[in-house]
């Protein structure tokens, strides 16, 4: 074919250039007209009536003079960038488009490469993601990490930083979007903002169920403390009579042995490798003070529940719904008598060391022609929170319930006095509400 397939230049067949007066040889002349017809057929019609049947090749062009442009605006179109990359230009200004998103699941340590630009990697186990040098990745390189199974640590190359720090921890259940400036790495800092907001800590479910005199079961639920989430998909039975061992029917105590007449605080713990949750009981209400002697490889997230032991060194039975604890069995009389002056009391059925809302049963029994009052309040400086006054002509015993907030130590103040005649007073504990735990379904 006379058209050069490499250059596209057309050359007439030989013998088709006649001279004046020369008799035209029909053989080469017919070959010329046939060839011209073929080339016209193989040309792209301007009206678009026929498509290309082979790749369309254009000039490489530049950002100001693209290889494919428009007659009305020759500076807008497509051109070939360095490195064989396709470029788009509008009025001579480069327009950037992201490459296709790349998803992959990872189960171990990984080094993020330049080819991971716009990648989304979901890590299903604890991992360290090492970032290639920022200069190599280049400005605008970006990458998303999802921690779905355990914490993931982002570690920039050498002395380079991410959000100004040497490393970044992505807690299990969270993700982070990373972008490279060419010299350092940055994120939207959402994780840091969440970690700074302690008020979003919350607990769902995870109530206690009495199992035996030395064991309780922790219900299923979810715990979120300090931007770290632990899901408890299975109920766990834990023994207060043994030190901590992970798993169902494992030990419960952080240290020491089970003691009588004590308040134990139940804390959520999280495995640093797997992100799995478990429970530990401690005499310390603050998670920061829980002994970690038996908790190697675990971190203490936050306090969730409370347990009380009796003077007989068995677990006191309560029914728990949300933050409400209701005592089971015969009510314990905390204080009783013909009357007493204002005094502080540490009721044995209420937690020691935290403030709770005590749910009390007040008993006021008066003889004939007697009058007396029973008052329970938080402390000497506060107004009374609940009282029961009885003024009768015939002997009677009156009972009522009331709620009052204990002090931070769990102490309440009470007094009972006769105005006239004689009587007898008593205070019993029905249970309590522990509103110091941020439980979303708190009672």
């Amino acid at each position: 074919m006379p058209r050069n397939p490499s250059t596209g230049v057309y050359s007439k067949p030989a013998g088709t250039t006649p001279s004046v007066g020369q008799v035209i040889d029909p053989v080469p002349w017919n070959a010329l007209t046939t060839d011209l017809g073929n080339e016209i057929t193989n040309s792209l019609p301007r009206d678009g009536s026929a498509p290309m049947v082979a790749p369309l090749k254009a000039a490489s062009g530049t950002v100001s003079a693209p290889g494919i442009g428009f007659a009305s605006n020759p500076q807008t179109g497509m051109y070939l960038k360095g490195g064989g990359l396709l470029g788009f230009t509008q009025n001579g200004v480069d327009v950037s488009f992201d490459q296709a998103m790349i998803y992959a699941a990872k189960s171990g340590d990984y080094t993020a490469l330049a080819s991971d630009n716009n990648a989304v990697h979901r890590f299903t186990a604890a991992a360290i993601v090492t970032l290639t040098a920022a200069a190599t990745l280049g400005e605008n390189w970006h990458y998303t990490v999802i921690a779905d199974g355990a914490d993931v640590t982002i570690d920039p190359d050498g002395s380079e930083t991410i959000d100004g720090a040497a490393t970044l921890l992505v807690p299990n259940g969270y993700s982070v979007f990373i972008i490279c400036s060419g010299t350092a790495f940055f994120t939207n800092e959402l994780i840091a903002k969440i970690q700074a907001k302690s008020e979003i800590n919350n607990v769902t479910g995870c109530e206690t169920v009495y199992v035996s005199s030395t064991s309780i079961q922790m219900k299923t639920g979810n715990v979120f403390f300090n931007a770290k989430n632990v899901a408890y998909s299975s109920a766990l039975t834990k023994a207060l009579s043994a030190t901590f061992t992970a798993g169902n029917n494992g030990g419960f105590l952080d240290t020491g042995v089970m003691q009588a007449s004590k308040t134990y605080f139940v804390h959520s713990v999280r495995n640093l490798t797997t992100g799995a949750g478990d429970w530990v009981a401690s005499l310390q209400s603050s998670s920061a003070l829980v002994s970690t002697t038996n908790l190697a490889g675990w971190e203490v997230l936050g306090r969730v529940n409370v347990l009380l032991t009796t003077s007989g060194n068995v677990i006191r039975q309560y029914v728990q719904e949300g933050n409400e604890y209701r005592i089971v069995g015969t009510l314990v009389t905390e204080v009783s008598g013909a009357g007493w002056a204002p005094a502080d009391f540490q009721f044995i059925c209420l937690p020691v060391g935290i403030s709770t809302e005590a749910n009390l049963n007040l008993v006021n029994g008066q003889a004939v022609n007697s009058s007396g009052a029973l008052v329970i309040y938080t402390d000497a400086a506060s107004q009374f929170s609940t009282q029961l006054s009885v003024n009768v002509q015939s002997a009677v015993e009156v009972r009522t319930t009331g709620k009052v907030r204990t002090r931070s130590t769990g102490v309440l103040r009470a007094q009972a006095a006769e105005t006239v005649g004689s009587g007898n007073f008593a205070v019993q504990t029905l249970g309590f509400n522990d509103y110091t735990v941020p439980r979303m379904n708190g009672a």
Side-chain angles (χ1 to χ4, degrees):
M1 187 173 73
R3 189 191 294 272
N4 188 309
S6 299
T7 64
V9 175
Y10 179 80
S11 299
K12 296 192 302 179
T16 58
T17 303
S19 300
V20 176
Q22 178 184 357
V23 177
I24 296 175
D25 185 346
V27 174
W29 186 255
N30 289 338
L32 172 62
T33 55
T34 299
D35 198 55
L36 288 174
N38 290 336
E39 294 306 324
I40 291 173
T41 299
N42 289 332
S43 298
L44 190 66
R46 293 177 62 188
D47 63 3
S49 59
M52 290 290 296
V53 295
L56 176 63
K57 300 179 179 66
S60 296
T62 64
V63 67
S64 57
I68 297 177
F70 300 90
S72 60
N73 190 342
Q75 287 189 306
T76 295
M78 293 185 295
Y79 70 102
L80 189 64
K81 291 183 177 182
L85 299 177
L86 184 63
F88 296 84
T89 178
Q90 290 185 173
N91 294 321
V93 178
D94 187 67
V95 179
S96 296
F97 292 90
D98 216 345
Q99 69 184 54
M101 182 178 292
I102 305 167
Y103 166 81
K106 305 288 183 181
S107 59
D109 294 347
Y110 181 73
T111 298
L113 307 172
S115 58
D116 292 317
N117 186 34
N118 201 33
V120 176
H121 287 170
R122 181 174 65 91
F123 289 82
T124 58
I128 297 175
V129 177
T130 302
L131 302 178
T132 298
T136 301
L137 297 179
E139 187 178 11
N140 297 325
W141 180 91
H142 48 285
Y143 177 56
T144 298
V145 170
I146 301 173
D148 186 19
D151 293 347
V152 176
T153 299
I154 310 299
D155 186 10
D157 180 71
S159 61
E160 292 178 349
T161 60
I162 180 165
D163 288 340
T167 60
L168 175 70
L169 179 69
V170 184
N172 181 32
Y174 287 83
S175 64
V176 65
F177 176 78
I178 302 168
I179 190 164
C180 179
S181 69
T183 58
F185 299 92
F186 301 91
T187 74
N188 53 12
E189 300 190 23
L190 180 61
I191 293 175
K193 290 181 174 66
I194 292 175
Q195 290 174 328
K197 298 292 185 180
S198 61
E199 65 268 21
I200 66 174
N201 293 345
N202 64 73
V203 177
T204 303
C206 300
E207 295 98 338
T208 57
V209 177
Y210 179 85
V211 174
S212 71
S213 61
T214 59
S215 296
I216 58 97
Q217 183 186 81
M218 297 293 299
K219 291 182 180 179
T220 60
N222 197 82
V223 172
F224 183 92
F225 279 103
N226 300 318
K228 295 181 179 180
N229 184 71
V230 177
Y232 293 88
S233 57
S234 299
L236 294 177
T237 297
K238 306 299 291 185
L240 193 60
S241 55
T243 53
F244 176 82
T245 53
N248 192 42
N249 294 316
F252 202 19
L253 287 173
D254 62 337
T255 187
V257 297
M258 182 177 174
Q259 300 179 45
S261 302
K262 293 293 184 181
T263 298
Y264 285 96
F265 300 96
V266 181
H267 302 262
S268 169
V269 293
R270 177 177 173 277
N271 189 284
L272 294 171
T273 301
T274 65
D278 213 303
W279 304 100
V280 68
S282 174
L283 292 173
Q284 302 294 334
S285 62
S286 170
S287 293
L289 300 178
V290 173
S291 173
T292 57
T293 301
N294 298 300
L295 292 170
W298 297 80
E299 62 177 337
V300 184
L301 296 187
R303 186 178 73 81
V304 175
N305 293 319
V306 64
L307 293 174
L308 278 70
T309 57
T310 70
S311 59
N313 201 17
V314 297
I315 295 174
R316 192 176 295 280
Q317 292 190 53
Y318 290 89
V319 172
Q320 183 185 357
E321 292 183 1
N323 282 335
E324 182 184 22
Y325 295 74
R326 298 191 302 273
I327 198 165
V328 176
T330 304
L331 296 182
V332 175
T333 298
E334 302 280 6
V335 57
S336 64
W340 59 87
D344 289 339
F345 293 93
Q346 188 88 67
F347 292 167
I348 64 173
C349 293
L350 295 179
V352 177
I354 60 172
S355 176
T356 60
E357 183 184 57
N359 186 11
L360 304 174
N361 187 42
L362 279 61
V363 182
N364 188 337
Q366 293 296 314
V368 176
N369 295 323
S370 296
S371 176
L374 172 60
V375 183
I376 309 290
Y377 47 103
T378 302
D379 54 45
S382 70
Q383 294 181 338
F384 64 83
S385 294
T386 186
Q387 72 168 346
L388 175 57
S389 298
V390 175
N391 187 350
V392 296
Q393 292 181 329
S394 301
V396 68
E397 181 179 89
V398 179
R399 296 171 178 261
T400 189
T401 60
K403 295 180 183 293
V404 58
R405 192 80 181 196
T406 69
R407 295 179 225 169
S408 59
T409 57
V411 170
L412 282 174
R413 196 165 180 82
Q415 68 181 95
E418 290 291 331
T419 304
V420 62
S422 62
N424 192 71
F425 307 92
V427 180
Q428 299 172 321
T429 299
L430 301 173
F432 58 91
N433 287 286
D434 181 10
Y435 290 131
T436 58
V437 171
R439 194 180 302 273
M440 295 187 70
N441 63 331

